[in-house]
Amino acid sequence: GSIQSLDEDDPNDQFGLRKLPYVVKLDAPFNRLTCVPIDTDDICRAEVCFEENAEGKRFTICCAPLKQRPGVQKRFQVGSRVVCAMAGDLVENLTVWVPGIVHDVNYNVTDQTGEQNTREQQRQSQFSSFSGKPVFVPYRVKLDDGRMCLVHIDAHWLVRDAVLQSAGLRQGLNGSRDLKRMCKRKVGDGDDWEMIDHATCKVRKVCRRIQGSDDDSDDSDDE
């Protein structure tokens, strides 16, 4: 879901002293508001790509779009160098961009064998929207640190071209963010700049006389 408001009064607190850290609108099929009572990682966490383990697959199935479209052309292919949004250390970084290589495209998360498949099917049955149906994700990525991660949506705020996006901080606990769809960067040691569209992976040159204008950038994260 997406955060709608911060620090709202708790309607269940008759004294009006307690605040709710977040009010979140849940995605389809729920499409309703819910309150987050405590700001902890066990209750509410930033949506990122998840590791390919039992817990990560469960989160991936929860976050995967209801309308499965494995036949739609993807931005990246097997072997592409990308960076993926992953959970940070929660000391300085809430989330980080981690580099890796696309290992599989249109990966079937539920296509396992043996005992592991039985366990995954049992977990999957908890979510009626996907019960008994295969769940495909756009990418399965092998990160440079050896982990495998699952990218459940082919979106710029979850996966980017490693040539266009540096690894490192994505969301800092101090409020810093590197999530914008459109961003500028300097080219070489000269005065040239270029505009990057992380959603389309397209790059265009920016005119020097207007490169400092606010009109050249998109201040929204466009998530």
Side-chain angles (χ1 to χ4, degrees):
S2 57
I3 294 175
Q4 302 297 301
S5 61
L6 304 173
D7 297 323
E8 287 286 329
D9 292 332
D10 187 345
N12 296 318
D13 179 12
Q14 59 179 333
F15 300 105
L17 301 176
R18 190 164 54 237
K19 296 287 186 179
L20 298 169
Y22 310 112
V23 174
V24 177
K25 182 178 180 181
L26 301 178
D27 294 342
F30 304 102
N31 292 321
R32 62 179 176 83
L33 295 176
T34 188
C35 299
V36 178
I38 306 173
D39 188 9
T40 66
D41 206 40
D42 293 334
I43 302 297
C44 180
R45 63 179 66 182
E47 185 173 355
V48 292
C49 303
F50 302 103
E51 290 187 52
E52 190 181 26
N53 53 34
E55 182 183 56
K57 287 181 180 179
R58 187 163 64 252
F59 279 122
T60 297
I61 291 174
C62 288
C63 293
L66 293 178
K67 294 182 179 180
Q68 294 281 283
R69 305 172 64 188
V72 175
Q73 184 176 358
K74 304 298 186 292
R75 291 183 298 155
F76 306 110
Q77 305 300 321
V78 173
S80 297
R81 287 284 299 172
V82 296
V83 291
C84 298
M86 301 293 292
D89 56 18
L90 299 183
V91 176
E92 295 182 355
N93 301 324
L94 181 62
T95 63
V96 291
W97 293 110
V98 180
I101 297 177
V102 175
H103 194 276
D104 298 280
V105 176
N106 294 325
Y107 180 69
N108 187 348
V109 179
T110 53
D111 186 16
Q112 304 292 332
T113 59
E115 183 181 356
Q116 183 176 5
N117 185 40
T118 301
R119 292 199 301 268
E120 289 302 321
Q121 287 179 345
Q122 291 174 348
R123 292 192 184 99
Q124 186 183 350
S125 66
Q126 300 175 30
F127 311 104
S128 59
S129 300
F130 288 119
S131 181
K133 301 177 182 178
V135 178
F136 292 90
V137 296
Y139 310 111
R140 179 173 177 246
V141 177
K142 184 173 184 179
L143 302 176
D144 289 354
D145 59 18
R147 294 178 294 168
M148 299 294 290
C149 82
L150 303 168
V151 183
H152 54 277
I153 304 174
D154 187 10
H156 76 89
W157 47 274
L158 282 180
V159 58
R160 294 182 172 183
D161 189 328
V163 175
L164 305 179
Q165 173 66 54
S166 300
L169 182 143
R170 180 176 179 268
Q171 291 174 287
L173 292 177
N174 62 359
S176 56
R177 297 162 66 88
D178 188 3
L179 280 167
K180 290 182 180 179
R181 169 182 172 175
M182 308 292 295
C183 65
K184 291 182 301 187
R185 70 177 180 183
K186 195 172 183 180
V187 181
D189 298 327
D191 296 328
D192 294 328
W193 292 73
E194 60 187 12
M195 180 71 73
I196 299 171
D197 184 343
H198 286 294
T200 63
C201 300
K202 292 182 178 180
V203 180
R204 66 177 176 86
K205 291 184 178 180
V206 178
C207 181
R208 292 184 187 179
R209 65 181 178 85
I210 64 170
Q211 62 87 15
S213 171
D214 291 338
D215 294 337
D216 291 332
S217 62
D218 182 353
D219 290 334
S220 66
D221 295 335
D222 191 22
E223 294 183 23

